[in-house]
Amino acid sequence: MSSAMVTPAATTVRVPAKVNLELLVGPARADGFHSLSTVYQAVSLFDDVTVESADDWSVVVRGAQASFVPADATNLALRGARALADAAGVQTPVAITIDKEIPVAGGMAGGSADAAAALVACDHHWGLRTRREELEELAAELGSDVPFLIAGGTAMGSGRGELIAPVLARGAFNWVFALAREGLSTPSVFRELDRLRGDAEVLEPVPSPELMSALRSGDAHSLAAVLANDLQEAAFSLRPELRECLDAGMAFGALGGIVSGSGPTIAFLVADREAALDLAVSLTASGAAADVRRASGPVQGAQVVTGPRALG
Ligand code: C5P
């Protein structure tokens, strides 16, 4: 056998979206971020990120919302690939293709998901076997949610959200996501929260024991009762119609509802798949939501879905 490099022709990584079951926001820090205590769950809405060796760095985005994603050097997947190349001393550029299903600027970490996928894809493509801690460090520099999207499952996030630890969660949960027509910028929602809080004292947040026990029980009714998001009022303040969407979903029979991350997507927890279908139909038929997606969680984080094919 020759010693020719065994490089996959193309590597595809599938990466999930996230919802925050609890998002508690502490004081603003000196670096401009807020300290957080959050519990993430990865849900079955996916982007596929494919990397192929090429003469130059590039990124193409495909899907209904592709035009809302920058296809230049600011693209988070491209930044992820280049960050790993720099860290590992790799000289070969990759062409990246993103098949996008995760709502853009929807509070579901679509951009962070692509960054996580690019790191995992390039690590595999270049045969680096980067240590998990090192990959997580690169991930954290790209965005607060990126380390979680590599890990997946259900996990606690602290710091600015980037320090993750797994959480014991039983069972599977069914979600309906109500999408808005227009995205919300995460920094603007945090700024609105600061404005609403004014001079009020804000304590360092800690995860609630009620949420942890609901997750251990695996019971959707218990979980629905303790969903919490400190960014919700700020998102409502910027987009009052989101409150109506949440109220409509609850009136249509959701067990619980919450703004997902910084919004504008609203996440509804339902009892089972049939309830998910019923709620999805009601939300769209009534016009309460521009569009809906059904998903379940938890699911695994960024995973290679194409095996390497040996060249040469
Ligand atoms: O790190 P990430 O890309 O998720 O952050 C996007 C923006 O959201 C930050 O630039 C910051 O304005 C805001 N943010 C924050 N506190 C956090 C996470 C994000 O203020 N813990």
Side-chain angles (χ1 to χ4, degrees):
M1 210 179 111
S2 84
S3 61
M5 262 213 318
V6 179
T7 308
T11 302
T12 299
V13 165
R14 176 159 292 180
V15 65
K18 62 86 184 164
V19 59
N20 301 78
L21 308 176
E22 179 170 79
L23 176 48
L24 307 177
V25 182
R29 312 192 311 194
D31 63 4
F33 289 88
H34 294 70
S35 59
L36 293 187
S37 170
T38 192
V39 175
Y40 297 105
Q41 180 158 97
V43 295
S44 62
L45 293 178
F46 301 101
D47 281 357
D48 283 348
V49 175
T50 300
V51 302
E52 291 168 89
S53 300
D55 293 334
D56 219 339
W57 300 93
S58 67
V59 61
V60 170
V61 188
R62 303 193 293 208
Q65 289 193 310
S67 60
F68 302 117
V69 181
D72 56 21
T74 66
N75 183 283
L76 270 167
L78 192 51
R79 284 176 50 203
R82 299 188 85 149
L84 181 59
D86 286 348
V90 169
Q91 309 284 346
T92 356
V94 287
I96 303 175
T97 306
I98 302 173
D99 287 297
K100 182 151 271 309
E101 288 290 334
I102 304 175
V104 175
M108 300 194 72
S112 298
D114 298 341
L119 287 174
V120 172
C122 288
D123 183 57
H124 182 87
H125 193 72
W126 294 325
L128 298 174
R129 296 172 182 274
T130 308
R131 279 187 312 116
R132 183 65 174 241
E133 303 82 70
E134 206 181 314
L135 215 53
E136 277 182 6
E137 240 168 72
L138 287 170
E141 281 168 29
L142 294 161
S144 310
D145 298 333
V146 184
F148 171 69
L149 291 151
I150 295 179
T154 305
M156 254 164 48
S158 59
R160 55 183 170 82
E162 86 285 20
L163 305 172
I164 53 167
V167 161
L168 184 64
R170 287 175 56 198
F173 297 98
N174 289 280
W175 296 96
V176 175
F177 295 98
L179 312 188
R181 270 178 200 86
E182 211 187 315
L184 261 177
S185 118
T186 302
S188 70
V189 179
F190 275 98
R191 273 198 304 274
E192 181 64 4
L193 176 69
D194 289 339
R195 193 187 69 77
L196 293 173
R197 283 176 164 176
D199 294 332
E201 191 193 0
V202 181
L203 301 175
E204 284 299 331
V206 287
S208 75
E210 292 79 14
L211 179 74
M212 294 302 151
S213 73
L215 285 170
R216 276 196 303 274
S217 77
D219 174 42
H221 290 83
S222 312
L223 181 61
V226 293
L227 297 172
N229 182 358
D230 282 350
L231 291 177
Q232 181 154 304
E233 284 304 318
F236 286 166
S237 169
L238 297 174
R239 291 280 177 79
E241 70 274 18
L242 295 180
R243 192 191 297 275
E244 288 160 33
C245 178
L246 179 60
D247 291 346
M250 296 307 293
F252 288 135
L255 301 178
I258 195 174
V259 167
S260 178
S262 56
T265 303
I266 311 261
F268 292 106
L269 188 57
V270 291
D272 51 34
R273 289 167 65 99
E274 202 186 336
L277 187 55
D278 286 347
L279 180 60
V281 170
S282 301
L283 285 168
T284 38
S286 65
D291 203 356
V292 290
R293 296 283 183 277
R294 286 175 289 144
S296 65
V299 295
Q300 58 190 3
Q303 298 288 324
V304 175
V305 291
T306 54
R309 273 191 285 148
L311 295 179

